[in-house]
Amino acid sequence: MEKQATDTQVQQAATLFKDAWTLAQQDRVEEASRGFLGAAEVVAGDAKILVDICSRLISINYDNEAINILTTASEHHPESREVWLTLGHALGKMWQLKLAIPAYERALELGSPAANDLLAYADLLFRARRPDEAREAILKARELGASDPHTLYLQ
């Protein structure tokens, strides 16, 4: 069962997060990163909030910090599909394909995959020079209704 942060922790994290986001918009990336990391520490027990914080870290190219937080989160929240997906995304963005692919595979094991999840997984497989597995993931994504141009391109 996922642990949820207390109202006080959420308030503290939200304040840190909001301040950090403002700093990020001002291109004060290092200060913003410290704020995001501080927010993550406050709510370390809440996977959903951690994923949101890490998504923001990834958006300002602080991928290593996000990967560190998500790696720890995956140990504390091994059944969180979103933690594994976000970890896989961050690792893939950094071209750490040998780690990104198993993270996506773990996420896909944890629940009904969405077409976009399968397409992202297929993209990683293609980049890792595993085209047969990538095509298989694309076919599964198409069965789930994927019809965007990216799907056709990857085929």
Side-chain angles (χ1 to χ4, degrees):
M1 178 192 255
E2 293 284 325
K3 181 180 174 185
Q4 290 187 333
T6 66
D7 289 343
T8 302
Q9 289 171 320
V10 171
Q11 281 290 351
Q12 288 175 323
T15 299
L16 290 168
F17 185 87
K18 181 181 174 187
D19 293 345
W21 189 249
T22 299
L23 292 168
Q25 290 175 325
Q26 297 169 356
D27 290 326
R28 296 167 61 186
V29 179
E30 287 188 31
E31 293 170 275
S33 177
R34 284 192 297 273
F36 286 127
L37 292 170
E41 287 178 22
V42 171
V43 292
D46 192 314
K48 185 175 187 288
I49 295 174
L50 286 174
V51 165
D52 190 41
I53 289 168
C54 289
S55 294
R56 300 298 180 188
L57 281 170
I58 293 165
S59 77
I60 60 169
N61 295 319
Y62 268 72
D63 304 302
N64 288 324
E65 289 82 350
I67 289 167
N68 290 336
I69 292 168
L70 291 163
T71 299
T72 300
S74 71
E75 295 165 4
H76 295 289
H77 307 282
E79 302 302 314
S80 174
R81 187 174 174 279
E82 291 302 316
V83 166
W84 288 105
L85 283 173
T86 309
L87 178 58
H89 170 71
L91 290 164
K93 186 177 172 202
M94 298 292 293
W95 280 84
Q96 296 180 26
L97 303 178
K98 288 184 179 181
L99 298 172
I101 290 169
Y104 263 92
E105 289 170 344
R106 178 67 179 132
L108 296 173
E109 289 171 4
L110 288 172
S112 300
N116 287 342
D117 300 338
L118 287 165
L119 293 176
Y121 176 58
D123 182 58
L124 292 173
L125 292 168
F126 266 120
R127 290 194 279 152
R129 302 183 195 279
R130 293 164 58 180
D132 293 338
E133 293 170 81
R135 283 186 192 91
E136 190 176 311
I138 290 169
L139 291 175
K140 288 180 186 175
R142 289 189 74 186
E143 288 173 12
L144 294 173
S147 60
D148 62 81
H150 186 68
T151 306
L152 300 174
Y153 168 75
L154 287 174
Q155 276 187 317

